[in-house]
Amino acid sequence: MHWAFEEAQKIIHDHPNTIPLTCASGISPSGYIHVGNFREVATTYFVVKALKKLGAEPRYILSWDDYDRLRKIPANVSGIAESEIGKAYTNVPSPDGDPNKSYASFFEKKFEADLAKLAIKPEYIYETTRYESGAYDELIKVALDQRLAIYDILAHFRTEAPNAQERAHYYPISLYCDTCGHDATTITEYEEKTGTLHYTCKFGHSGTQIIGQGQHVKLHWKIDWPMRWTVEKVVYEPGGKDHSSKGGSFDVARKIVKEIFGGRAPDYEPYDFVNIKGQTKKMSSSSGNIITLDELLKIYTPELVFYLYAKYLPKSPFDLGLDEDVLRNYAEFERKAAVLKSAEEPDELLEQMMYLTGVDLSKNIPAFSRVVNILSLTSNNQALTRGVLEKEGFTAEAIEHVLGRASYWIENNAKDRLYQVREQPDTAAFAALSSKVKHELHEFAQLLATKEFSDDQMMMQTVYDLTPETDKKAKRQAQKELFQAIYHLTLGTDHGPRIPLLVKVVGKDKMIRLIDPA
């Protein structure tokens, strides 16, 4: 059974009377959202999809932590002044200078558009809106009134000893200054009866804010997280391994939700990092070393993107590479789809995993590697490639599903795969060949001119049979020499695509002229 279905069954068992079953993800719009962040979304999405398949009624929420402070300006983001650090993301200008957008919405809308391409449609919750609408006022007041108890819980998970002075001045909130919008504030007094906060700001400002009267206050992360579990009645949420270690954020939040807010922690799924192949450091929006979902979707179809995440257990890290791994990943997925299509009694794990990818097995999609090979022979010409694929019987919709992605991959990640078909015969190269190979080339040219091949396999077998050797080892060597001669005379290299595809793209007449110029 796939892990998402196992988790869905557990949720249904643990919450038999809960409708809907709220499953949550959360992301901070600190910069461009990357494929590592997407694991948070994909993990919840798979469980939601499994719940639906099992007949439950899930609710999928994605919370944008856009009331967090801007901690640093990412290396790949420009147009933001250092003076904006310390303000809420929604109070920082948009990097593109659009006055109708904020820093937060600039990145949020980009990622939401990418999720729409995958048909992922969660209920978006914008934390600035929730906080400033008063939705959390009651529990903010609870947290402030219970601040010493919260300090004691936090201290329990810390290695250093509690400090009485620190405890007396502890507040589980960040307060944004009414004057400058920064969170560089110090709370000087809290009036529990009225919920009034008195504060000073390091930029020389001071003021008061009253809970329930438009305050600009955000709970610290380890208190904010369990507070939202309580409000949204969350039954499932994943979290990165940095939150999942013993004594980490989840352990703290689980204790706070029970002892402070009187709630219950959701079923929790720790997940490991997604890494960029060849890099040892963690993918990070702030450092700028990322691959975005938009970039991934320029190369991978939606079902392939889902497959890359669904095939691993959440706790298993994996690398994403845009090199030859792309061909391997497509080939692996296409093989599994073919197995599922033909199986009389499909394997449960495979069936569930492919269900989660959303693949439509009724569609006949050209293999990604074949499209790449045709593009490689046509100088990455999509129009010529489209024509070849149409002649092979593929629909326009099926072709477009992979053609642009294959072309983009070649142009940006695999230009070394491009071949240049010769325009004129290389008579010098032909003259240097042995008489035996020349004879085999002449025979192949004659066959191309006179024989109709019913399929690629028939042509391939015909080429194999051109070499007369009977000893297996000698025959393999003879075939290698023949193939190298064909490739050299047509492409100027000693390797290339399968011969039938080469003939199809180059054309029979031109092929004959190139391989048999005598």
Side-chain angles (χ1 to χ4, degrees):
M1 182 178 289
H2 191 271
W3 63 262
F5 280 82
E6 289 178 348
E7 183 59 46
Q9 285 188 343
K10 182 176 184 297
I11 292 168
I12 292 169
H13 177 270
D14 290 349
H15 305 272
N17 302 313
T18 302
I19 298 177
L21 294 165
T22 299
C23 303
S25 296
I27 299 177
S28 176
S30 58
Y32 290 98
I33 315 302
H34 54 72
V35 293
N37 302 131
F38 180 65
R39 194 167 204 182
E40 166 92 14
V41 175
T43 302
T44 306
Y45 174 76
F46 291 147
V47 172
V48 167
K49 200 163 183 184
L51 283 167
K52 288 180 180 178
K53 184 72 170 176
L54 295 175
E57 296 182 37
R59 170 188 176 227
Y60 180 20
I61 62 173
L62 194 161
S63 293
W64 282 112
D65 295 327
D66 53 16
Y67 209 38
D68 289 354
R69 71 191 298 272
L70 177 65
R71 295 185 299 106
K72 62 183 291 188
I73 300 169
N76 58 352
V77 174
S78 59
I80 304 299
E82 292 285 333
S83 59
E84 300 296 332
I85 291 175
K87 292 182 180 179
Y89 290 125
T90 46
N91 199 26
V92 175
S94 173
D96 66 359
D98 186 339
N100 297 312
K101 292 189 290 191
S102 67
Y103 185 96
S105 65
F106 175 82
F107 293 110
E108 289 168 352
K109 297 310 173 188
K110 282 183 178 294
F111 190 65
E112 288 174 14
D114 292 338
L115 292 185
K117 296 172 191 173
L118 293 167
I120 297 178
K121 301 174 183 177
E123 175 189 334
Y124 291 107
I125 294 176
Y126 303 93
E127 291 304 325
T128 295
T129 301
R130 285 293 172 97
Y131 267 100
E132 297 199 340
S133 71
Y136 300 150
D137 286 356
E138 182 180 344
L139 293 186
I140 292 173
K141 181 70 164 56
V142 168
L144 283 167
D145 292 351
Q146 296 285 328
R147 62 191 182 89
L148 298 182
I150 291 174
Y151 177 89
D152 292 338
I153 292 172
L154 295 173
H156 174 76
F157 290 94
R158 290 162 56 181
T159 54
E160 61 267 30
N163 180 292
Q165 185 176 3
E166 180 186 61
R167 183 175 185 270
H169 293 91
Y170 171 74
Y171 293 92
I173 61 169
S174 294
L175 185 150
Y176 292 109
C177 176
D178 286 326
T179 304
C180 67
H182 289 88
D183 69 343
T185 54
T186 299
I187 297 170
T188 57
E189 184 185 355
Y190 171 59
E191 299 177 28
E192 185 174 323
K193 185 175 181 180
T194 61
T196 302
L197 293 158
H198 300 267
Y199 70 92
T200 59
C201 169
K202 87 168 189 177
F203 296 104
H205 312 125
S206 62
T208 60
Q209 293 185 15
I210 303 173
I211 304 303
Q213 296 187 24
Q215 77 283 346
H216 303 298
V217 162
K218 182 188 182 296
L219 292 171
H220 292 163
W221 163 242
K222 293 178 183 178
I223 299 90
D224 169 84
W225 198 16
M227 178 273 294
R228 285 190 269 155
W229 293 340
T230 306
V231 172
E232 300 297 344
K233 298 178 173 57
V234 176
V235 301
Y236 173 81
E237 184 166 5
K241 74 173 188 178
D242 46 345
H243 297 306
S244 310
S245 58
K246 185 176 181 181
S249 298
F250 179 72
D251 283 351
V252 175
R254 177 166 51 187
K255 192 170 181 66
I256 287 176
V257 74
K258 179 181 179 182
E259 297 185 14
I260 304 300
F261 298 124
R264 173 181 174 180
D267 289 5
Y268 183 70
E269 187 81 57
Y271 60 83
D272 211 319
F273 297 132
V274 177
N275 304 302
I276 299 175
K277 183 180 179 182
Q279 293 192 7
T280 56
K281 58 184 178 180
K282 174 187 173 184
M283 206 181 310
S284 167
S285 294
S286 60
S287 66
N289 63 313
I290 62 171
I291 298 173
T292 65
L293 189 55
D294 178 59
E295 290 174 285
L296 204 62
L297 283 165
K298 287 177 180 175
I299 295 172
Y300 287 111
T301 60
E303 58 269 24
L304 254 295
V305 171
F306 284 130
Y307 173 70
L308 293 174
Y309 287 79
K311 72 175 184 172
Y312 295 104
L313 291 170
K315 64 182 179 182
S316 300
F318 67 92
D319 293 345
L320 276 177
L322 301 182
D323 55 5
E324 295 296 306
D325 282 358
V326 171
L327 290 174
R328 286 188 283 271
N329 288 330
Y330 265 103
E332 181 180 275
F333 177 80
E334 289 160 359
R335 284 195 302 272
K336 289 184 183 297
V339 167
L340 190 57
K341 249 184 194 181
S342 61
E344 294 182 7
E345 296 182 14
D347 173 78
E348 181 186 53
L349 174 60
L350 177 60
E351 190 171 36
Q352 290 174 345
M353 180 170 63
M354 298 303 274
Y355 163 77
L356 294 173
T357 72
V359 63
D360 185 346
L361 295 174
S362 68
K363 292 183 178 179
N364 183 29
I365 306 294
F368 186 81
S369 61
R370 185 165 186 82
V371 179
V372 165
N373 284 335
I374 298 172
L375 287 166
S376 298
L377 290 167
T378 61
S379 299
N380 206 15
N381 187 309
Q382 291 193 42
L384 291 176
T385 302
R386 187 178 293 108
V388 173
L389 292 169
E390 285 173 349
K391 288 179 182 177
E392 293 183 349
F394 293 104
T395 66
E397 180 186 11
I399 293 168
E400 295 311 313
H401 195 56
V402 292
L403 179 57
R405 292 180 167 94
S407 179
Y408 180 90
W409 180 66
I410 289 174
E411 179 63 27
N412 293 275
N413 302 93
K415 277 189 174 179
D416 59 344
R417 297 189 69 86
L418 291 173
Y419 300 107
Q420 188 64 49
V421 179
R422 293 185 187 276
E423 291 301 321
Q424 299 298 328
D426 187 339
T427 53
F430 183 80
L433 297 171
S434 68
S435 58
K436 175 180 172 299
V437 172
K438 287 179 183 177
H439 175 71
E440 291 164 356
L441 288 169
H442 177 71
E443 282 193 325
F444 185 33
Q446 290 293 103
L447 288 168
L448 288 176
T450 60
K451 186 178 178 67
E452 288 297 325
F453 298 94
S454 59
D455 55 35
D456 288 357
Q457 187 55 43
M458 180 183 179
M459 180 186 288
M460 202 69 229
Q461 189 59 53
T462 300
V463 179
Y464 286 137
D465 293 341
L466 289 171
T467 54
E469 286 78 5
T470 55
D471 177 74
K472 287 184 179 181
K473 185 176 180 180
K475 191 171 187 66
R476 281 197 297 270
Q477 180 60 33
Q479 289 170 343
K480 179 181 178 181
E481 291 174 4
L482 174 59
F483 284 14
Q484 287 179 339
I486 293 172
Y487 292 134
H488 191 79
L489 293 171
T490 56
L491 303 175
T493 69
D494 61 359
H495 63 278
R498 286 173 63 84
I499 301 299
L501 179 59
L502 181 63
V503 173
K504 190 174 293 185
V505 175
V506 174
K508 282 188 177 183
D509 291 343
K510 186 174 181 179
M511 191 79 182
I512 292 168
R513 186 162 52 86
L514 292 175
I515 67 172
D516 190 23

